[in-house]
Amino acid sequence: MKSDQKAFHKSRRAGFSELIGKDSVAVIFGNTTRNKSYDEDYKFKQYKNFYYLTGFLEPNSVLVLAPGGIQFPVNGKQKTLTEILFVQKKDALMETWNGKRLGHSDVRRELGIQNSFVNEEIPQILNSRFLRRFSKLYTNFGEMLKLTNDTKRIINNFTETLNIIAPALEISDASYLLGKMRAVKTNYEINKIGEAAEISTGAYNETLKSVRPGINEFSIQAMLEYYYKYHGGDDIAYHPIVASGENACILHYNANNRQMKSGELLLIDSASEYNYYCSDITRTFPVNGKFTNEQRIIYEIVLKANKECIKKIRPGVKFSDLDNLSTKILTEGLFKAGLLKNKKDIKKYSLHGIGHHIGLDTHDAVPFTKTGSTDNDTLKAGNVITIEPGLYFTGNMKEIPVKFRKIGVRIEDDILVTKTGSINLTESMIKEAAEIEIAMKDN
Ligand SMILES: [Mn+2]
């Protein structure tokens, strides 16, 4: 692991340890493998909270943080430890089949984590002797419940006996405090998200040239993802939405298997991940390279909401202010176009909120940011958020003139909140209707 990454994760462990305090212990579980079918697993993805604190990408690992110290036997002697990583043991046969394992003896050198043991010793630390001296246990509870395999058996045993071995221990979900930390990005993280955004915008600008009638949605998906990987984006940030025509009105459409037709719009919500950090972009293009009048009217309304909200972003502004501003612009736009009789009906066509935080997760730091308290709603320098207004008119909306039906438009950018305002990380991706038509004219 490179030294800047090592320093980043170390600073996260230090920050989290400070938040939980010396009377607490944190047990943060990494992910386990998931079966896909028969003897094949899904590609392994580390739990993001665990990754945030360690950067370690092997399954079946557990991090224990005890800021006040924990007595634990090391080579037969009691030692006071503040951070322990439990990892898979070295196993020549398993490594031949499934890939190298770091092994516990290399943890300190490779990851900079003070102490390490093989994960067969996890039950030791989860027993009374160690837990009773703490007043509070933090764990990534929701993630813990989804673990599989051997780790699952350890957890079951632990949760069944917990009220006996440590009856006074208060248990808290670590995701809230970790979410609070994760909502404010360090420079290390901002660079990773910026890299992901740059790879993604490059892919869109390139793929745009191949959008034309007769192409299948999954072909466009393939071109984007080819570009991501070829340019260093090691994974997709989320399952992409490549939705032509009315499919754009299905918010999480994921079939991506329809042939697109002339006269329709194509909505693409896809982005690259880079070193576990996500970008999140949506653009909407006319399949034949030219917007119809009706498509253009809707497109301009959404674009205005996108641009006005981005302009307003700075520390102190509330997410809910941006949501209200977007709703106001979309409402006025539709009202002026004669498509909205009652302004209260806007939610029927705008469907979702203005945006969310991005980071290790595409919907990042949610346990903290979605709790509804005003504090969490206020933007701070270091936040990275999406701005993604949208309007959607299905074929069934009889109150809307036919030419406006089967139109779905969303325009989404990734914005870094700075001390004085904001930086659009997806700026280099075209979004003016005229620019899109010029870029597509030779398709
Ligand atoms: Mn989004």
Side-chain angles (χ1 to χ4, degrees):
M1 185 183 285
K2 285 187 185 154
S3 60
D4 63 333
Q5 190 184 356
K6 216 186 269 189
F8 165 71
H9 297 296
K10 188 180 177 192
S11 73
R12 301 303 88 191
R13 292 193 297 279
F16 184 63
S17 295
E18 180 141 352
L19 281 177
I20 65 172
K22 294 199 164 172
D23 290 331
S24 301
V25 61
V27 180
I28 309 295
F29 294 91
N31 206 354
T32 46
T33 54
R34 315 265 148 181
N35 183 256
K36 188 173 182 183
S37 179
Y38 186 49
D39 62 350
E40 198 199 353
D41 288 338
Y42 286 102
K43 183 180 181 220
F44 180 73
K45 203 75 191 175
Q46 191 55 278
Y47 276 159
K48 305 302 171 64
N49 284 323
F50 179 86
Y51 180 84
Y52 189 67
L53 297 169
T54 64
F56 191 49
L57 292 176
E58 285 184 28
N60 310 310
S61 315
V62 179
L63 176 73
V64 174
L65 293 175
I70 188 168
Q71 294 291 316
F72 204 70
V74 182
N75 303 326
K77 280 189 206 140
Q78 288 293 319
K79 284 204 164 173
T80 306
L81 312 181
T82 55
E83 50 179 31
I84 307 170
L85 187 68
F86 293 91
V87 301
Q88 302 178 112
K89 70 173 177 207
K90 297 287 284 178
D91 182 324
L93 181 66
M94 293 304 285
E95 290 179 57
T96 299
W97 282 90
N98 298 328
K100 288 256 176 247
R101 293 177 174 187
L102 179 64
H104 75 279
S105 52
D106 278 336
V107 162
R108 190 195 297 231
R109 181 184 54 76
E110 177 61 21
L111 305 174
I113 296 173
Q114 204 187 73
N115 290 92
S116 184
F117 303 95
V118 295
N119 54 14
E120 286 158 9
E121 295 191 51
I122 296 169
Q124 263 224 63
I125 200 131
L126 296 180
N127 79 21
S128 59
R129 220 154 36 98
F130 299 105
L131 290 184
R132 263 190 196 161
R133 70 158 288 268
F134 297 103
S135 58
K136 209 163 178 180
L137 166 73
Y138 284 90
T139 189
N140 47 340
F141 201 73
E143 293 172 330
M144 177 184 91
L145 292 174
K146 293 185 198 129
L147 294 169
T148 62
N149 308 334
D150 291 348
T151 317
K152 178 83 185 173
R153 284 186 276 281
I154 291 169
I155 302 311
N156 285 347
N157 194 31
F158 168 59
T159 49
E160 278 163 20
T161 55
L162 189 63
N163 62 343
I164 300 164
I165 60 174
L169 194 66
E170 188 185 328
I171 301 174
S172 281
D173 188 5
S175 311
Y176 180 80
L177 288 181
L178 286 167
K180 185 175 180 163
M181 290 181 71
R182 282 174 53 179
V184 179
K185 271 68 183 174
T186 68
N187 285 336
Y188 170 85
E189 295 180 288
I190 290 164
N191 287 336
K192 300 290 177 204
I193 299 169
E195 191 70 36
E198 198 155 307
I199 292 167
S200 303
T201 56
Y204 272 74
N205 286 335
E206 198 55 38
T207 303
L208 177 57
K209 298 174 194 160
S210 301
V211 173
R212 65 179 77 95
I215 300 268
N216 199 293
E217 293 165 348
F218 57 61
S219 304
I220 295 300
Q221 174 184 347
M223 294 182 93
L224 288 165
E225 291 175 12
Y226 160 77
Y227 189 100
Y228 299 158
K229 283 221 164 79
Y230 192 83
H231 291 86
D234 34 8
D235 201 353
I236 50 174
Y238 49 92
H239 189 85
I241 298 161
V242 184
S244 60
E246 197 179 8
N247 288 343
C249 301
I250 304 166
L251 289 183
H252 289 167
Y253 172 73
N254 62 12
N256 300 348
N257 59 2
R258 177 179 175 273
Q259 205 178 51
M260 55 194 83
K261 297 193 174 73
S262 185
E264 297 174 342
L265 291 178
L266 175 67
L267 183 153
I268 306 175
D269 186 343
S270 163
S272 180
E273 187 182 283
Y274 182 76
N275 285 12
Y276 261 65
Y277 280 87
C278 297
S279 49
D280 185 2
I281 301 176
T282 309
R283 286 294 185 269
T284 310
F285 305 124
V287 169
N288 64 14
K290 201 130 182 62
F291 289 95
T292 65
N293 287 338
E294 292 76 16
Q295 288 166 352
R296 198 171 179 128
I297 288 168
I298 302 304
Y299 191 87
E300 294 295 349
I301 297 169
V302 176
L303 184 61
K304 187 178 179 196
N306 167 289
K307 283 156 69 175
E308 293 299 318
C309 286
I310 291 172
K311 257 191 232 163
K312 209 167 182 278
I313 293 173
R314 62 184 62 248
V317 169
K318 290 183 194 305
F319 230 119
S320 47
D321 296 337
L322 298 173
D323 218 10
N324 293 338
L325 175 62
S326 171
T327 303
K328 185 166 167 261
I329 294 168
L330 298 177
T331 306
E332 279 170 5
L334 288 189
F335 190 76
K336 242 195 224 163
L339 296 169
L340 202 62
K341 308 244 148 34
N342 185 344
K343 288 187 178 178
K344 283 190 185 123
D345 290 341
I346 185 64
K347 282 290 163 208
K348 192 175 166 193
Y349 311 112
S350 68
L351 298 177
H352 54 78
I354 187 63
H356 51 86
H357 290 253
I358 57 169
L360 287 171
D361 281 306
T362 305
H363 297 162
D364 205 50
V366 170
F368 175 71
T369 58
K370 290 279 175 181
T371 47
S373 96
T374 40
D375 257 340
N376 307 355
D377 190 36
T378 305
L379 295 177
K380 288 192 180 90
N383 289 157
V384 184
I385 63 169
T386 67
I387 291 295
E388 49 178 314
L391 286 171
Y392 311 89
F393 303 95
T394 65
N396 296 329
M397 292 176 167
K398 297 282 175 337
E399 75 281 14
I400 297 292
V402 174
K403 283 185 168 179
F404 283 96
R405 291 185 212 159
K406 301 188 181 180
I407 288 178
V409 175
R410 181 164 65 254
I411 306 170
E412 177 178 34
D413 287 297
D414 299 343
I415 314 295
L416 165 68
V417 184
T418 63
K419 280 186 188 134
T420 53
S422 73
I423 295 171
N424 185 347
L425 302 175
T426 44
E427 182 90 72
S428 58
M429 173 71 223
I430 61 171
K431 63 182 175 185
E432 296 295 328
E435 285 178 343
I436 288 170
E437 290 184 344
I438 289 167
M440 295 181 76
K441 78 177 184 322
D442 296 327
N443 285 13

